[in-house]
Amino acid sequence: MRSRAFRVFSALLLAACGGLAGAADFTGPDSCKGCHPEAYDAWMKSKHARATETLAEGQKKDARCLSCHAPDQAEQTLAAVTCETCHGGGQYYSPSYVMKDPELARLVGLVDPSEKQCRTCHDASSPSLRPFDFKEALKAIDHWSAERARKQQTRADAAPSTPAPATAKK
Ligand code: HEC
Ligand code: HEC
Ligand code: HEC
Ligand code: HEC
């Protein structure tokens, strides 16, 4: 196994060569699906996944609508509000060895979406009748509870029923 220092170094080097985090390319929601199937399914059922379909034909090319309904269309050719609209472009953080290291993933572009970020689109100019309630809105887009449940299950399954002898560990 390569050391963490080596992994951090290679990921940062890649990101630096690519123009540093923030300028990372988007990999598209299908690229997250394989490792995050629950999150993907929940997102697919959400309005974010259909934010471009909602628009009438002419509006699908109207930059005034796309700024919220498909903000990554122009630069990354991705329709709707996708994983990376909220979590940042995945080019550097989505390799498995980076994803398993939460600190490193954030160093190379993984974003923890904030209320402020939601409000860049859910603001006074969006057509909602009710003011944006962050807590309620979070519940409505929950795609992490199922992810966390699976993770816990995986850990429970992996845990030996009797403590393994010390020699069995690497
Ligand atoms: C090769 C598999 C793989 C791919 C592809 C992948 N991830 Fe991950 N991701 C993981 C693993 C493994 C974790 C760590 C889970 C854990 O905590 O055990 C993770 C964690 C995360 C987390 C939680 C980070 C934290 O520390 O709280 C987010 C958010 C995330 N991934 C988003 C994405 C997005 C968005 C994409 C697509 C752009 C993506 N991932 C692609 C495997 C992957
Ligand atoms: C890039 C712009 C953008 C960002 C950022 C964004 N949203 Fe949205 N959101 C939209 C659009 C556009 C729709 C409407 C999609 C449609 O129906 O066409 C929407 C719809 C929703 C809905 C469904 C509303 C309904 O009437 O059922 C919820 C809930 C929601 N967003 C929550 C959030 C939360 C929580 C965040 C932040 C974590 C967030 N959104 C960030 C653009 C955004
Ligand atoms: C500032 C961001 C923003 C802009 C710009 C924007 N929208 Fe939206 N739009 C939203 C959000 C957020 C929602 C979801 C509101 C909610 O229900 O909470 C939405 C919802 C909608 C819906 C209702 C979808 C549904 O499921 O009921 C339609 C239709 C719509 N927008 C059309 C448009 C059109 C057409 C334009 C361009 C003229 C446009 N929007 C520009 C943010 C925006
Ligand atoms: C509208 C913004 C938005 C979109 C779109 C979105 N996410 Fe998230 N995601 C969030 C927020 C906010 C959280 C953190 C919620 C919390 O911790 O309360 C989160 C949490 C997560 C987590 C963390 C789970 C854990 O173990 O803690 C993963 C993994 C994840 N998202 C993957 C994805 C994937 C994959 C997609 C696309 C299929 C996606 N997200 C689309 C906003 C978004």
Side-chain angles (χ1 to χ4, degrees), residues 13-26:
L13 185 65
L14 266 178
C17 292
L20 275 167
D25 275 339
F26 287 36

Side-chain angles (χ1 to χ4, degrees), residues 36 53 104 124:
H36 298 291
E53 287 165 43
L104 179 56

Side-chain angles (χ1 to χ4, degrees), residues 63-128:
R64 287 171 308 165
C65 311
L66 297 183
S67 62
C68 293
H69 285 260
D72 309 311
Q73 183 120 304
E75 289 190 12
Q76 306 285 347
T77 62
L78 283 178
V81 180
T82 76
C83 317
E84 293 161 290
T85 307
C86 294
H87 291 289
Q91 183 182 8
Y92 303 119
Y93 68 72
S94 55
S96 177
Y97 78 96
V98 182
M99 287 260 67
K100 284 178 183 151
D101 186 335
E103 223 177 287
L104 179 56
R106 284 165 177 84
L107 271 177
V108 295
L110 180 67
V111 173
D112 292 315
S114 64
E115 174 169 4
K116 200 171 151 217
Q117 209 178 330
C118 312
R119 286 185 182 279
T120 59
C121 299
H122 291 269
D123 68 358
S125 59
S126 65
S128 185

